[in-house]
Amino acid sequence: MAEHIVRFADRAEPITVRAGTLLVEAARRLGLDIQQPCGGQGRCGRCAVRVESGRVRRRSVLRLSKADVEAGYALACQTVVEGDVSVVVPPVEQIERRLTTDHVAPEVVVPVGYDPEKAQTIGRVFLRLSPPSMDDQTDDWARLCTALRRRTGIDRLRASLPQIRELGGTLRSSGWHVGLTYDTAGEPPGTARLIKVGPMASEASEPLCGLAIDVGTTTVTVFLVDLLTGEVTAQSSEYNQQIARGEDIISRIVYATKGGGGEELRELVLATINGRVAAVCGRANIEPAAIVKATLTGNSTMTHLLLGIPPESIRLEPFITSINQPPLLSARDVGITMCSDGTVDLLPGVASYLGADITAGVLSSGLRSSAETTLFIDIGTNGEMVLGSSQWLVSCACSAGPAFEGSGVVHGMRADRGAIEEVWIDGRSYEPTFRVIGKGQPRGICGSGLISLAAEMFLTGILDKGGHIDESLASPRIRRGSHGAEYVVAWGGDTANGDDITITAVDIDNLLRAKAAVYAGFNVLADRVGVELDSVERVLIGGAFGKYINVEKAVDIGLLPDLPWERFEFLGNTSVKGAYLSLLDREMRAEVGEIASAMTYVELSADNSFYEAFTSALFLPHTDLSRFPSVETSMT
Amino acid sequence: MAEHIVRFADRAEPITVRAGTLLVEAARRLGLDIQQPCGGQGRCGRCAVRVESGRVRRRSVLRLSKADVEAGYALACQTVVEGDVSVVVPPVEQIERRLTTDHVAPEVVVPVGYDPEKAQTIGRVFLRLSPPSMDDQTDDWARLCTALRRRTGIDRLRASLPQIRELGGTLRSSGWHVGLTYDTAGEPPGTARLIKVGPMASEASEPLCGLAIDVGTTTVTVFLVDLLTGEVTAQSSEYNQQIARGEDIISRIVYATKGGGGEELRELVLATINGRVAAVCGRANIEPAAIVKATLTGNSTMTHLLLGIPPESIRLEPFITSINQPPLLSARDVGITMCSDGTVDLLPGVASYLGADITAGVLSSGLRSSAETTLFIDIGTNGEMVLGSSQWLVSCACSAGPAFEGSGVVHGMRADRGAIEEVWIDGRSYEPTFRVIGKGQPRGICGSGLISLAAEMFLTGILDKGGHIDESLASPRIRRGSHGAEYVVAWGGDTANGDDITITAVDIDNLLRAKAAVYAGFNVLADRVGVELDSVERVLIGGAFGKYINVEKAVDIGLLPDLPWERFEFLGNTSVKGAYLSLLDREMRAEVGEIASAMTYVELSADNSFYEAFTSALFLPHTDLSRFPSVETSMT
């Protein structure tokens, strides 16, 4: 097959590829990251590059205008090489690799009265073995097991082959005085798994650490936990490196089904996790080998990708995971940089779109600790919600689309530096003011900014009940653009890149569909158990999104139910908190299992009432205004 | 560092190595196998090569005469390159890689009334799962486990991560009709380990097979067993490829402690095993994936080397193994070519020099099925012996040296084509006649040939009670050679290589020490339990050595106790038979464990009475002739 040379403008070295190779693949081989928010499906247009010379074939030109194509633009994920080519990657599209460590810093406190002896499945003992002699030729392994049994009553110790290989050397180099760490999690009574054996001197001076890890679609958060005190000694967060291969779950699943894509995504999320583990170890000045256990949460797609389990069936009706409750694994199995035989515990999920992040969230939110009817929600690309109390749990998930994550709208962006996160509009001049994350000039609008903007536009009459922009209003900010009517939030002279930041009719429509899906989900859950939405006594909001949202504005657009503000509570990253609690305490770990088992999951796409509730919610705030009395008041 | 070119006479391609590289290493890199029976310690002289030109440095010239060195001879394992060199490897020293498949063919019969349902820990069920739907979104893993529980009552199934990764694809491609194989061995009640899941159609047509494997120091024997009938459907044996890195256990341990030596030995024995597995699969026309379990025996050094466990401590006082009872492992862990998650069960050993080959041998010998006082022996480089009955077991091991294996004597060789295996000497002319394995001209003398020869020499007066050759006898065959007095067994004109085949005073001395060690071992065991050796009711002889030995001659030299012939029984490879029985039947497997636990091991080197017994046995047949009444009769 013919081979061609591909040059990228900012790379000195060209690369030789076979004819038919995608540009995105050629770039990847050069170590050049081209953003593919839609997972390389040719849907989003974010991977557009300019072909300066040479022959390529565009399989798709979706989102490119005729002029774009004439100017050489091509979608890197949809364009194959057919000759020697030179390519320019517009800088704005290169993936920003900001290490935004600590941009989420959930507050966790050690549970009152935490007693590691009682709560932990991890044990560490120090054993002074009598050395073998001609009178006692017991083999090394039996010698160790006997000493352990005498000390702890554990009469069966399971070990991996690598551990057995190292044992003899360790016993002899340590002078037969060792520290032994084991885990009884998941084992029958009297049985434990060996985690490590080391010389007593070094083990005694080494801390005993664990990790609580939340593998989010967008952000990976790692807590380093001292298992002897329960304290979080360091924490670190970073964007999941998989983002470069798809911003949302569906894009990632699509990417994973391509040849090698699943393995690539597995490596990317592992690199993210291990990068953060290295960071927390460095900060706490410990060796990764001191980490003997990791408890992980994440949605079902994230856990499948992390474990290298094909996720295809998650996105295809009837939406099935390969496994909701993975077995206990070792760090060696999974690939996390810590003690090789340390336990890796992925908390149980419930369904394809109701993963361990939610069961862990329910745990840490305290929903089950009260008989009050409580709504727990975690909104991102997907909106997951649980209605329940100490007695019962019912849950569902709806696809909100990417609007709340800041993509899927023309000037949308993640809640990051430069994002407009809150907007106020003058009811007479229609002039906006806004707050930008990190203060500087705006670069786009994030999810909370969109909600705020839509609420203001509605309350000032720029939007009507149906979500249409009133083009009759006398303001230069209301105009007609290439996507129909639009409102200019920031003029080009005030923005980071010199372009106007606008919200279009199409954007509003996307936002309406997103909020209608979430609100319809609440309705279906309430109907299912026969309670009224306004009888919900607590609304617990988890997830990073919940940290920035303005409840009043969310109620204004009909995203959240119209309840007294004091019933709302923002909990931050409930998922990582649940992992933390499960890592610390076997009873908490057991409770996550009970939550997963007890939870009734309602599949909305198989639920007739959902579509009706969704349609009714496609208005601002709702077709039935009596559901939103406080908004009715604001409007008058 | 300087590099030099090394040429080997029969290789067209030279090889470039760093200065200081051993000749044996240069040869190895060219794929040229140079025999190192002593494990590269420079002890045996068998790796001698001739350096035709170029500079080398000889670290040791042990066993080389001054004339040898002047003629260019050098020990390949002790000689390093210091310039460009040309080397000739004498053909006789190149390792003979005969694939002597089936050269040992133990007869095994399916135990009477074998019922796989009752006896097996392996189970295979065929499950028709109902496919998932919007009304039943159970995850794949839970769906499988539920179906298995309903069918078998197994309520916990353990799986490896690779199995979970493949599950979704298998279920869907099979139309949700699958065959599932599991193993309950070593698991608590209600628990099983998943071995494999496959489409029902292909699984139903696939046999369910196991392997019984004896990893001998010299020979590896593999049985392919149909687990549904218990029949051995194919078998194959081959020299353990480790032989090229040391003929005896001690040499292998020494080799293993050199950098990379342990890993090399592990790969060599795995290559041997997997070669035989491929052979039996080919013969039975099955796929390796149909093999779901392997049960292995071998001495402790062999099991350590196979598992990659450092064996050093086995040879250093106080002679300790890393592990006598390895846990159940998977084929993936160990590296055997079969179903990756198939069970690999290494039977338990007792001590450094009393391994699983002996516990398995005791099992299959039937020693425990009778109240009679029974002596079980397996003699090779080491002599292992067990005295016992259904009620008690006492055992020991003695280092017999390599005499019985045919090395360690000037014209010794393995029991292979060309070996003199039996000798008769005319009492008047002192002229011998002999039988050669494979008929042709003799190449050397094997262990049984040596015993036979020594017995004949003793009974004809060529040897006196002290083992000295009577040089006053009038025979051209009795002469003085470079090693002192010697007897010519075959004149050069009658031998394969034209050299005289002799037995020297030094050889006789080695043989005496070997037989004395074994007999002293018997004495110590009998003393330990307070029985007389002549009250032993049965002598069960296992091992390949036992197959060829002539009991009368062995008694004549005082190797075996002087008991009526009918008390002796030859059992062949009792080790592989024990593996076979343990593979077939969980009760047999449990019994091997009981044998290992019940056996009292006597460390001879810590036993004062051993040295005394050994010294007394350094005569022909013994200092105390009353112990050998039948020999006394022959002598008169």
Side-chain angles (χ1 to χ4, degrees):
Chain A
M1 188 176 263
E3 296 201 323
H4 302 300
I5 296 167
V6 182
R7 284 174 193 282
F8 286 89
D10 57 345
R11 292 284 155 137
E13 290 293 307
I15 187 163
T16 303
V17 299
R18 290 189 168 188
T21 301
L22 284 170
L23 287 177
V24 77
E25 170 63 9
R28 198 186 60 72
R29 289 203 207 146
L30 273 176
L32 193 64
D33 240 357
I34 296 183
Q35 204 168 3
Q36 301 174 69
C38 71
Q41 299 179 89
R43 278 201 292 102
C44 70
R46 296 270 195 103
C47 65
V49 295
R50 204 172 70 247
V51 178
E52 289 201 303
S53 67
R55 211 173 68 173
V56 297
R57 181 164 57 81
R58 294 168 176 80
R59 292 181 186 159
S60 162
V61 291
L62 201 73
R63 296 193 185 271
L64 295 181
S65 67
K66 208 179 157 198
D68 287 339
V69 174
E70 279 167 5
Y73 279 95
L75 301 178
C77 77
Q78 298 292 324
T79 302
V80 298
V81 172
E82 295 198 330
D84 295 355
V85 294
S86 287
V87 179
V88 175
V89 181
V92 66
E93 299 300 347
Q94 292 194 30
I95 291 181
E96 310 124 20
R97 285 189 149 265
R98 286 175 307 281
L99 295 180
T100 58
T101 48
D102 298 331
H103 85 274
V104 176
E107 310 75 33
V108 287
V109 288
V110 180
V112 176
Y114 173 64
D115 178 353
E117 293 270 323
K118 280 190 194 154
Q120 270 300 336
T121 59
I122 297 282
R124 180 165 68 177
V125 290
F126 297 96
L127 302 170
R128 291 174 190 275
L129 308 179
S130 53
S133 66
M134 293 299 275
D135 295 326
D136 174 9
Q137 294 179 310
T138 308
D139 58 296
D140 298 341
W141 176 248
R143 186 174 302 275
L144 186 74
C145 290
T146 302
L148 181 68
R149 180 169 57 244
R150 285 186 188 144
R151 175 73 63 84
T152 63
I154 291 168
D155 57 13
R156 185 174 174 227
L157 187 63
R158 295 207 291 125
S160 69
L161 189 48
Q163 289 176 324
I164 295 170
R165 286 176 181 151
E166 288 171 15
L167 182 63
T170 303
L171 292 181
R172 284 167 184 79
S173 67
S174 69
W176 305 89
H177 293 176
V178 294
L180 182 155
T181 308
Y182 60 86
D183 193 353
T184 58
E187 298 294 330
T191 302
R193 264 174 307 102
L194 179 61
I195 291 183
K196 62 172 170 168
V197 184
M200 188 185 287
S202 58
E203 290 297 308
S205 63
E206 191 162 85
L208 199 64
C209 297
L211 298 171
I213 303 177
D214 174 44
V215 186
T217 310
T218 303
T219 305
V220 171
T221 300
V222 171
F223 283 9
L224 179 68
V225 181
D226 182 331
L227 294 179
L228 297 178
T229 64
E231 276 170 12
V232 176
T233 50
Q235 57 178 279
S236 184
S237 299
E238 187 187 3
Y239 285 132
N240 186 335
Q241 290 176 30
Q242 290 179 338
I243 289 175
R245 303 289 174 266
E247 292 209 343
D248 57 53
I249 285 173
I250 299 301
S251 306
R252 304 241 182 115
I253 296 176
V254 169
Y255 193 87
T257 59
K258 299 179 186 177
E263 181 56 20
E264 191 187 341
L265 291 179
R266 192 179 75 83
E267 286 167 7
L268 286 170
V269 71
L270 263 181
T272 311
I273 291 172
N274 287 333
R276 289 314 91 203
V277 172
V280 293
C281 284
R283 216 164 294 165
N285 195 25
I286 65 153
E287 294 297 318
I291 301 170
V292 297
K293 188 163 192 169
T295 301
L296 286 86
T297 58
N299 63 56
S300 301
T301 301
M302 287 305 109
T303 57
H304 277 58
L305 291 176
L306 173 62
L307 296 182
I309 304 171
E312 293 96 287
S313 58
I314 288 178
R315 84 177 244 274
L316 303 172
E317 200 178 312
F319 315 121
I320 306 299
T321 51
S322 265
I323 189 162
N324 286 336
Q325 310 207 3
L328 292 177
L329 298 165
S330 71
R332 182 185 296 111
D333 291 335
V334 180
I336 299 178
T337 311
M338 52 184 272
C339 176
S340 307
D341 283 285
T343 310
V344 173
D345 183 10
L346 279 93
L347 296 184
V350 173
S352 278
Y353 296 101
L354 207 100
D357 51 344
I358 303 306
T359 55
V362 169
L363 175 78
S364 70
S365 72
L367 185 153
R368 300 248 293 173
S369 63
S370 156
E372 292 182 314
T373 301
T374 305
L375 181 64
F376 170 80
I377 59 179
D378 186 341
I379 298 172
T381 307
N382 285 287
E384 291 118 342
M385 50 203 81
V386 180
L387 187 63
S389 75
S390 51
Q391 302 300 312
W392 53 277
L393 291 167
V394 57
S395 63
C396 70
C398 59
S399 173
F404 295 138
E405 293 280 10
S407 63
V409 292
V410 172
H411 289 100
M413 65 177 285
R414 284 196 292 269
D416 212 332
R417 179 179 293 272
I420 294 173
E421 58 169 343
E422 179 111 55
V423 181
W424 301 267
I425 297 179
D426 184 302
R428 283 165 300 186
S429 67
Y430 306 115
E431 283 298 305
T433 53
F434 45 77
R435 192 173 66 224
V436 175
I437 296 178
K439 302 296 189 289
Q441 288 189 311
R443 297 169 50 237
I445 313 170
C446 67
S448 60
L450 271 179
I451 291 168
S452 177
L453 175 59
E456 289 289 299
M457 289 170 74
F458 173 56
L459 294 177
T460 56
I462 300 174
L463 291 180
D464 68 13
K465 269 197 63 157
H468 308 295
I469 293 174
D470 183 349
E471 295 182 73
S472 70
L473 295 178
S475 163
R477 291 184 180 267
I478 298 163
R479 68 186 189 193
R480 185 151 275 265
S482 56
H483 292 81
E486 62 185 25
Y487 173 78
V488 181
V489 185
W491 296 111
D494 302 326
T495 67
N497 68 354
D499 291 338
D500 295 348
I501 294 174
T502 63
I503 183 166
T504 69
V506 175
D507 296 341
I508 295 289
D509 196 49
N510 281 336
L511 184 65
L512 274 191
R513 298 177 69 83
K515 77 96 187 172
V518 172
Y519 189 79
F522 299 151
N523 270 283
V524 169
L525 290 189
D527 283 358
R528 185 60 72 105
V529 292
V531 303
E532 294 296 323
L533 252 189
D534 59 12
S535 71
V536 167
E537 290 159 285
R538 295 191 296 169
V539 180
L540 307 177
I541 303 175
F545 176 74
K547 285 204 67 163
Y548 303 104
I549 204 175
N550 178 321
V551 175
E552 184 186 5
K553 303 248 168 117
V555 171
D556 285 342
I557 66 165
L559 167 62
L560 293 180
D562 194 356
L563 298 170
W565 294 0
E566 64 273 16
R567 294 195 196 167
F568 290 89
E569 201 175 330
F570 294 95
L571 302 175
N573 189 338
T574 48
S575 175
V576 74
K577 284 182 193 169
Y580 165 73
L581 293 172
S582 302
L583 170 69
L584 280 194
D585 190 334
R586 70 176 85 204
E587 288 183 13
M588 288 288 168
R589 177 61 182 82
E591 192 174 334
V592 186
E594 286 160 24
I595 288 168
S597 303
M599 202 181 283
T600 304
Y601 177 71
V602 180
E603 173 61 50
L604 291 184
S605 59
D607 192 291
N608 293 331
S609 66
F610 175 72
Y611 187 70
E612 199 176 319
F614 173 72
T615 312
S616 303
L618 276 175
F619 288 79
L620 289 170
H622 195 273
T623 5
D624 179 4
L625 202 56
S626 72
R627 288 167 171 258
F628 288 86
S630 78
V631 184
E632 199 168 12
T633 311
S634 307
M635 288 166 68
T636 51
Chain B
M1 186 176 268
E3 295 200 323
H4 303 299
I5 296 165
V6 181
R7 284 174 194 282
F8 285 88
D10 57 344
R11 293 285 155 138
E13 291 293 307
I15 186 163
T16 303
V17 300
R18 291 188 168 189
T21 301
L22 284 171
L23 288 176
V24 76
E25 169 65 9
R28 198 187 60 73
R29 292 204 205 144
L30 272 176
L32 192 65
D33 241 358
I34 295 182
Q35 204 169 5
Q36 300 176 68
C38 72
Q41 299 178 87
R43 279 201 293 103
C44 70
R46 296 271 196 102
C47 65
V49 296
R50 203 172 72 245
V51 179
E52 290 202 302
S53 67
R55 212 174 67 173
V56 297
R57 182 164 57 82
R58 293 168 177 82
R59 291 181 187 161
S60 162
V61 291
L62 202 72
R63 297 195 185 271
L64 295 181
S65 66
K66 207 178 157 202
D68 287 340
V69 174
E70 279 167 6
Y73 280 94
L75 301 178
C77 76
Q78 297 292 324
T79 303
V80 299
V81 172
E82 296 197 328
D84 295 355
V85 295
S86 288
V87 179
V88 174
V89 181
V92 65
E93 299 300 346
Q94 292 194 30
I95 291 183
E96 311 123 22
R97 286 187 148 267
R98 288 173 306 281
L99 295 179
T100 58
T101 47
D102 297 330
H103 85 274
V104 177
E107 310 73 35
V108 288
V109 287
V110 181
V112 176
Y114 175 64
D115 177 353
E117 294 269 323
K118 280 189 193 154
Q120 270 300 338
T121 58
I122 297 282
R124 181 165 70 177
V125 291
F126 296 96
L127 302 170
R128 292 174 188 275
L129 309 178
S130 53
S133 67
M134 293 299 274
D135 295 326
D136 174 10
Q137 294 180 309
T138 308
D139 57 296
D140 298 340
W141 176 249
R143 185 175 302 277
L144 185 74
C145 290
T146 302
L148 180 68
R149 181 169 57 245
R150 286 187 189 144
R151 175 71 65 83
T152 63
I154 290 167
D155 56 14
R156 184 174 175 227
L157 188 63
R158 296 208 291 126
S160 69
L161 189 48
Q163 290 175 324
I164 295 169
R165 286 176 181 151
E166 287 172 15
L167 182 64
T170 303
L171 292 181
R172 284 167 184 78
S173 68
S174 69
W176 305 89
H177 293 176
V178 294
L180 181 155
T181 307
Y182 60 86
D183 193 353
T184 58
E187 299 294 331
T191 302
R193 265 175 305 102
L194 179 61
I195 291 183
K196 62 172 172 170
V197 184
M200 189 184 288
S202 58
E203 289 297 309
S205 63
E206 191 162 84
L208 199 63
C209 297
L211 298 171
I213 303 177
D214 174 44
V215 185
T217 309
T218 304
T219 305
V220 171
T221 300
V222 171
F223 282 9
L224 179 68
V225 181
D226 182 331
L227 294 178
L228 298 177
T229 63
E231 276 169 14
V232 176
T233 50
Q235 57 179 277
S236 183
S237 298
E238 187 186 4
Y239 284 132
N240 186 335
Q241 289 177 29
Q242 291 179 338
I243 289 175
R245 303 291 173 265
E247 292 208 342
D248 56 54
I249 285 173
I250 300 301
S251 305
R252 303 245 180 111
I253 295 176
V254 169
Y255 194 86
T257 60
K258 299 180 187 177
E263 181 57 19
E264 191 187 342
L265 291 179
R266 193 180 75 84
E267 286 166 7
L268 286 170
V269 70
L270 264 179
T272 310
I273 291 172
N274 287 332
R276 290 313 91 204
V277 173
V280 293
C281 284
R283 216 165 295 165
N285 196 26
I286 64 152
E287 293 297 318
I291 301 170
V292 297
K293 188 162 191 169
T295 302
L296 285 87
T297 58
N299 63 57
S300 300
T301 301
M302 288 303 110
T303 57
H304 277 58
L305 291 176
L306 173 63
L307 296 182
I309 303 172
E312 291 95 289
S313 58
I314 289 178
R315 87 177 242 276
L316 302 172
E317 198 178 313
F319 316 121
I320 306 299
T321 50
S322 265
I323 189 163
N324 286 335
Q325 310 207 2
L328 293 177
L329 298 164
S330 72
R332 183 186 294 110
D333 291 334
V334 181
I336 298 178
T337 312
M338 50 183 273
C339 175
S340 307
D341 284 285
T343 309
V344 172
D345 183 10
L346 278 92
L347 295 184
V350 173
S352 278
Y353 296 102
L354 207 100
D357 50 346
I358 302 306
T359 55
V362 169
L363 175 78
S364 71
S365 72
L367 185 154
R368 300 247 295 172
S369 62
S370 156
E372 292 181 312
T373 301
T374 305
L375 180 64
F376 170 79
I377 59 179
D378 187 341
I379 299 173
T381 306
N382 285 287
E384 293 118 341
M385 50 203 84
V386 180
L387 187 64
S389 73
S390 51
Q391 301 301 311
W392 53 276
L393 292 168
V394 58
S395 63
C396 70
C398 59
S399 173
F404 294 138
E405 294 281 10
S407 63
V409 290
V410 173
H411 289 101
M413 65 176 287
R414 285 195 292 268
D416 212 333
R417 180 180 293 272
I420 294 173
E421 58 169 344
E422 179 111 54
V423 181
W424 300 268
I425 297 179
D426 184 300
R428 282 165 301 184
S429 67
Y430 307 115
E431 283 299 304
T433 52
F434 45 76
R435 193 173 64 224
V436 175
I437 296 178
K439 302 298 190 285
Q441 288 189 310
R443 297 169 50 236
I445 312 169
C446 68
S448 59
L450 272 178
I451 292 168
S452 177
L453 174 59
E456 289 289 300
M457 288 170 75
F458 173 56
L459 294 178
T460 56
I462 299 172
L463 291 180
D464 67 13
K465 270 197 62 160
H468 309 294
I469 294 174
D470 183 349
E471 295 180 72
S472 69
L473 295 178
S475 164
R477 291 185 181 265
I478 298 163
R479 67 184 189 192
R480 186 151 275 264
S482 55
H483 291 80
E486 63 185 26
Y487 173 79
V488 182
V489 185
W491 296 110
D494 301 326
T495 66
N497 68 356
D499 292 338
D500 293 349
I501 294 175
T502 63
I503 182 164
T504 70
V506 175
D507 297 341
I508 296 288
D509 196 51
N510 282 336
L511 184 66
L512 274 191
R513 298 176 70 83
K515 77 97 187 172
V518 172
Y519 187 80
F522 300 151
N523 270 283
V524 170
L525 291 189
D527 283 357
R528 184 62 69 106
V529 293
V531 303
E532 294 296 322
L533 252 189
D534 58 12
S535 70
V536 167
E537 290 159 285
R538 294 189 296 168
V539 180
L540 308 177
I541 303 174
F545 177 72
K547 285 204 65 163
Y548 303 105
I549 203 175
N550 178 321
V551 175
E552 185 186 4
K553 305 252 169 113
V555 172
D556 285 343
I557 65 164
L559 166 62
L560 294 180
D562 193 356
L563 299 170
W565 293 359
E566 64 272 17
R567 295 196 196 167
F568 291 89
E569 201 175 331
F570 295 94
L571 302 174
N573 189 337
T574 48
S575 175
V576 73
K577 283 182 192 168
Y580 165 73
L581 293 172
S582 303
L583 170 69
L584 280 193
D585 190 332
R586 70 176 84 203
E587 289 184 12
M588 288 288 166
R589 177 62 181 82
E591 193 175 334
V592 185
E594 286 161 23
I595 289 168
S597 304
M599 202 180 283
T600 304
Y601 177 71
V602 180
E603 174 60 50
L604 292 184
S605 58
D607 193 290
N608 292 331
S609 66
F610 176 71
Y611 187 70
E612 201 176 319
F614 173 72
T615 312
S616 303
L618 276 175
F619 289 79
L620 288 172
H622 196 271
T623 6
D624 178 4
L625 201 57
S626 71
R627 288 168 172 257
F628 290 84
S630 76
V631 184
E632 200 170 10
T633 310
S634 308
M635 288 166 68
T636 53

